[in-house]
Amino acid sequence: MTILKKVEHFREEEERLKWEGTFADYLELLKEKPWVAQTAHSRVYNMIKDAGVEEVNGKKEYSFFKDQLYGVEESLEKLVEEYFHSAAKRLDVKKRILLLMGPVSGGKSTLVTMLKRGLEQYSRTDNGAVYAIKGCPMHEDPLHLIPNHLRKDFYDEFGIKIEGNLSPLNMMRVDEEYGGRIEDVIVERIFFSEDKRTGIGTFSPSDPKSQDIADLTGSIDFSTIAEYGSESDPRAYRFDGELNKANRGMMEFQEMLKCDEKFLWHLLSLTQEGNFKAGRFALISADELIVAHTNESEYKSFISNKKNEALHSRIIVMKVPYNLKVDEEERIYKKMIADSDLSHVHIAPHALKVAAIFTILTRLKEPTKQGVDLLKKMRLYNGENVEGFNSQDLVELKQEDPDEGMSGIDPRYVINRISSAIIRKQLTSINALDVLRSIKEGLSEHASISKEDRERYLDFISVARKEYDAIAKKEVQKAFVYSYDESAKTLMDNYLDNVEAYCNKNKLRDPLTGEEMTPDEKLMRSIEEQIGISENAKKAFREEILIRISAYARKGKKFDYNSHERLREAIQKKLFADLKDIVKITTSTKTPDESQLKKVNEVIARLIDEHGYNSTSANELLRYVGSLLNR
């Protein structure tokens, strides 16, 4: 489908979704679809819920935020359940401003933008449909037409609570245009749009001397006063402030805490009572979600000011910290690169992972739990198995410092440094060392990093480099193993035969001579030592393997190379240890012979075909690992 056809299709869909009828027709519609009368907070919650909710390891993950926000699942669960869900149930939290607090480039703006774009799309669905009094600049809820004294009867009949009163403009229109017959008032379906200022607003503070409160609440239209004769005539008022236009949806209050006090006073009444004052009118009802965002230092300054005490109790603060998982940080970088002009550049495998290791280390707080260092903590946070620690240890680590993730290096800095390295050196391929080198060079230019933090960050670059050294050696050694899986399977089968004989106190039979042999202790220990199994622990480890094999057999499943993670790691390390000398000689020889050259070319081909390298990065990796092994 061409782009013009898609535009035409969208236009046709818009026409199909349009609805217009009298208030009497709308009430019939409500009988069929009572959810249409939901509040703004309820609409946001249902939008998130309808996109799909999955429970992973006892935590809720929302498909709505998938592929956009990474590694902040716990913060999102708290936001959705403690704020949106409670507000949707009309609990007191509904009367609070949602203030997202977090470090720079931590995802606050992305989160708000997702909610705004999501509402625009959701208002075009059946579950998210929104109806308003036609011709109303505030897209007023048609149910405000029901007089207060009949609202209990309405609830008894429809089961729907009505909040808010008819605006001055619509009160006048009902009398003058419809002769007081509310059943004849025209209602239409509306579609949220930030660009068209329908149901979504954005307010950004500017110079306090020049900014007018009218930006929030609307203003008098002086050109019509002569026609209507009074400033208190609602027809002489422009209901075009952000609070007016965001009614029924949400308003983003950018940098709210930098705003002049007079702008914040209107929020007191809006949040607590659901209305605000505009011009010479009675209070105007508004049903909207107010979302603001700020950083930690501004928030601390705000709460320390006694003048702001009234607003303190009207604010719900939700922390949006940095992601603390290496794998998720890597996904953030991949997304940012895909969205940039760098997508044509080849980024070698593990380059972004090594950058993520450095970044996460800068965000973690030093653990106080015995036996845990920053690297172990990083691995536990990333969902990796760390010997001697379990899920309860992870819970305890996360409870040590509630402010963890509120400081450190932001993702944008890493992407900027990658960009700098590519542009400055005109590279078409970049590896982990290039990335770390560029990050290191940029630390001295980063104005907000203190001297103490800079020294600490340099240490983290060294740690990340060591992690990369281990990854690089493993990658090359793995590529050197011809028919790697077959070699691993053969070694594992041999080990398992010996373990079974050892545990059952049996002998093994030599397949060639038929002689009986005792289990090969040297072979078993050479494998077990690769993962630190001590002499005292070997019996328990071997029995654990047999139990696992039996469990698989009972379920009719085959025990294979991937069935026991620690055994797999031991087999890999044993294979690599046996190959080390071959790798060392082949990668470091300046003038390789024909057989060595053939081996190198095979390895490069495997790195390209199976591991995601290109010829440049594969050759660089081989040279680097050769230098490591020769040290």
Side-chain angles (χ1 to χ4, degrees), residues 82-93:
E82 293 187 18
Y83 183 77
F84 289 130
H85 193 181
S86 300
K89 298 290 185 187
R90 299 177 191 264
L91 296 174
D92 207 49
V93 71

Side-chain angles (χ1 to χ4, degrees), residues 195-456:
D195 294 338
K196 295 178 181 178
R197 302 187 75 211
T198 305
I200 297 175
T202 303
F203 182 81
S204 183
S206 58
D207 182 3
K209 293 177 183 176
S210 61
Q211 191 155 37
D212 192 347
I213 197 71
D215 295 343
L216 266 185
T217 61
S219 61
I220 296 166
D221 186 353
F222 289 101
S223 65
T224 60
I225 290 178
E227 182 183 350
Y228 298 118
S230 170
E231 290 183 14
S232 59
D233 190 309
R235 292 169 299 180
Y237 196 84
R238 288 196 296 255
F239 293 89
D240 60 356
E242 293 303 322
L243 292 179
N244 308 106
K245 293 299 182 182
N247 186 34
R248 311 296 301 286
M250 68 174 280
M251 189 189 86
E252 177 187 7
F253 211 127
Q254 295 178 347
E255 303 298 343
M256 185 184 85
L257 304 186
K258 289 179 180 172
C259 210
D260 191 76
E261 288 174 17
K262 65 182 179 182
F263 289 89
L264 301 180
W265 293 337
H266 283 278
L267 301 181
L268 292 174
S269 175
L270 179 62
T271 52
Q272 194 62 35
E273 308 299 334
N275 52 45
F276 64 92
K277 191 79 172 74
R280 298 179 181 180
F281 309 114
L283 291 167
I284 295 174
S285 296
D287 172 31
E288 55 197 85
L289 162 68
I290 306 290
V291 184
H293 41 89
T294 188
N295 58 47
E296 198 170 10
S297 58
E298 279 180 358
Y299 178 70
K300 285 178 178 175
S301 173
F302 173 76
I303 59 173
S304 64
N305 187 344
K306 294 292 182 184
K307 287 183 180 179
N308 299 323
E309 280 184 349
L311 258 179
H312 294 174
S313 60
R314 306 296 204 284
I315 291 174
I316 290 268
V317 179
M318 286 287 171
K319 288 183 179 179
V320 184
Y322 283 135
N323 156 60
L324 297 175
K325 297 175 184 175
V326 171
D327 289 347
E328 297 299 303
E329 188 72 11
E330 191 178 355
R331 290 179 72 195
I332 292 171
Y333 300 156
K334 285 179 179 175
K335 177 181 178 294
M336 292 174 80
I337 287 168
D339 293 342
S340 73
D341 293 333
L342 302 177
S343 51
H344 67 286
V345 176
H346 172 76
I347 297 176
H350 312 297
L352 298 182
K353 180 172 185 174
V354 171
I357 288 170
F358 161 74
T359 309
I360 298 301
L361 287 172
T362 69
R363 297 172 186 171
L364 294 177
K365 301 290 185 183
E366 202 67 50
T368 57
K369 189 174 179 66
Q370 192 173 2
V372 184
D373 57 19
L374 271 183
L375 266 178
K376 283 181 181 174
K377 186 177 188 179
M378 179 191 78
R379 292 194 173 103
L380 283 165
Y381 276 21
N382 199 41
E384 299 171 34
N385 288 324
V386 177
E387 191 174 355
F389 297 95
N390 54 35
S391 56
Q392 185 54 41
D393 294 308
L394 179 60
V395 171
E396 289 173 12
L397 282 170
K398 287 181 176 179
Q399 290 172 345
E400 282 185 352
D401 194 327
D403 288 332
E404 190 167 52
M406 297 297 281
S407 61
I409 293 289
D410 65 281
R412 202 173 289 141
Y413 170 79
V414 173
I415 297 301
N416 289 344
R417 295 312 305 165
I418 292 173
S419 307
S420 175
I422 290 168
I423 293 164
R424 190 174 69 250
K425 297 179 182 178
Q426 297 294 303
L427 299 175
T428 56
S429 176
I430 191 166
N431 61 38
L433 296 177
D434 295 324
V435 172
L436 285 179
R437 199 176 296 117
S438 187
I439 288 173
K440 185 177 180 179
E441 289 168 0
L443 290 177
S444 58
E445 302 163 17
H446 204 303
S448 62
I449 297 178
S450 66
K451 185 181 177 183
E452 184 184 60
D453 281 342
R454 191 173 293 115
E455 288 173 2
R456 201 161 54 90

Side-chain angles (χ1 to χ4, degrees), residues 116-179:
K116 291 196 288 190
R117 296 295 86 81
L119 278 174
E120 289 178 344
Q121 294 301 316
Y122 194 58
S123 68
R124 287 166 170 74
T125 67
D126 195 42
N127 286 351
V130 190
Y131 295 81
I133 296 173
K134 187 174 182 180
C136 173
M138 287 183 61
H139 348 287
E140 187 163 11
D141 186 346
L143 292 184
H144 287 181
L145 291 163
I146 302 288
N148 282 310
H149 67 278
L150 293 178
R151 290 186 177 181
K152 185 181 181 304
D153 295 335
F154 179 83
Y155 179 76
D156 292 340
E157 185 178 346
F158 286 83
I160 296 170
K161 288 181 181 177
I162 302 174
E163 294 178 1
N165 297 308
L166 203 59
S167 67
L169 179 62
N170 284 324
M171 206 177 289
M172 178 178 281
R173 289 179 63 207
V174 168
D175 290 339
E176 296 193 359
E177 294 178 29
Y178 299 99

Side-chain angles (χ1 to χ4, degrees), residues 34 110 389 538:
T110 301
F389 297 95
K538 69 181 184 183

Side-chain angles (χ1 to χ4, degrees), residues 457-474:
Y457 292 173
L458 288 172
D459 289 340
F460 293 150
I461 287 176
S462 299
V463 173
R465 170 77 176 267
K466 286 176 185 172
E467 290 292 297
Y468 176 64
D469 290 352
I471 292 168
K473 282 190 276 190
K474 187 173 180 179

